[in-house]
Amino acid sequence: GENVEQHPSTLSVQEGDSAVIKCTYSDSASNYFPWYKQELGKRPQLIIDIRSNVGEKKDQRIAVTLNKTAKHFSLHITETQPEDSAVYFCAATRGSFDEKLTFGTGTRLTIIP
Amino acid sequence: DTAVSQTPKYLVTQMGNDKSIKCEQNLGHDTMYWYKQDSKKFLKIMFSYNNKELIINETVPNRFSPKSPDKAHLNLHINSLELGDSAVYFCASSHMGEQYFGPGTRLTVT
């Protein structure tokens, strides 16, 4: 089955600086890679995703890159703000209805004002 | 117009009791899930249903029994609750891999 590793487990960044979270996956058939943000006491929320037919996707201050050859993908947050503080999860799946989403172990991001 | 809803939000109960958590989605998705999130924040899938049929059943004690009366609902019944069952349980629904989570149910077993 799929195995997703996520690093780092904790990350502290000065407000305004950039943050990068990296994930690797094991199943070369995985083709959908979402990122979730979970604020304290809240549900995980999809913030950005990428499918295997593209190498990069951007949405305002967040971007995701995918390297299928190396089987890794990364989340980039630029110009970080205090409201970016949360736990971030990466995930991978083959994307069909009977394939589960395999989550990374999460990164607790703290933005220092 | 909540997309995925769960009830109750909090559940405090004693060991040995039986409890149920209900989940409903109005997104029209065919696939629904139950996840358990422990104190370390790890998200572990428990079950997945597609169109009322069980398609994923991870290594979960048989004290946990999901039921899907229709594709918009997936309920979770837990028998003989144990201390280790204390966690946040999230329901989710998905289409083409995109998953949307419910608000979670914080279960505390004393």
Side-chain angles (χ1 to χ4, degrees), chain B:
Chain B
D1 59 347
T2 305
V4 184
S5 59
Q6 286 177 238
T7 54
K9 192 168 174 63
Y10 299 98
L11 192 49
V12 181
T13 188
Q14 291 185 326
M15 283 174 55
N17 285 349
D18 304 338
K19 289 293 179 187
S20 292
I21 308 171
K22 294 186 176 182
C23 177
E24 177 180 1
Q25 55 98 2
N26 63 6
L27 295 166
H29 291 166
D30 287 335
T31 309
M32 296 184 72
Y33 308 81
W34 278 109
Y35 287 89
K36 179 181 180 180
Q37 187 173 47
D38 60 23
S39 57
K40 293 183 179 178
K41 299 296 185 185
F42 297 149
L43 271 168
K44 290 184 182 177
I45 189 167
M46 300 173 69
F47 302 100
S48 171
Y49 270 72
N50 180 269
N51 237 335
K52 302 191 297 176
E53 288 194 23
L54 179 67
I55 55 172
I56 294 174
N57 183 352
E58 293 291 295
T59 310
V60 178
N62 57 15
R63 298 182 294 105
F64 292 79
S65 52
K67 278 192 173 53
S68 182
D70 55 60
K71 77 173 195 176
H73 296 84
L74 181 61
N75 304 323
L76 183 65
H77 188 76
I78 316 170
N79 289 327
S80 305
L81 279 155
E82 301 177 356
L83 291 176
D85 297 332
S86 294
V88 179
Y89 292 83
F90 286 101
C91 173
S93 72
S94 77
H95 177 68
M96 294 300 290
E98 295 184 26
Q99 287 198 15
Y100 297 89
F101 286 81
T105 296
R106 183 174 293 277
L107 171 65
T108 304
V109 183
T110 61

Side-chain angles (χ1 to χ4, degrees), chain A residues 5-17:
Chain A
E5 294 190 359
Q6 183 172 347
H7 299 281
S9 56
T10 60
L11 180 60
S12 293
V13 172
Q14 207 72 36
E15 183 178 353
D17 287 351

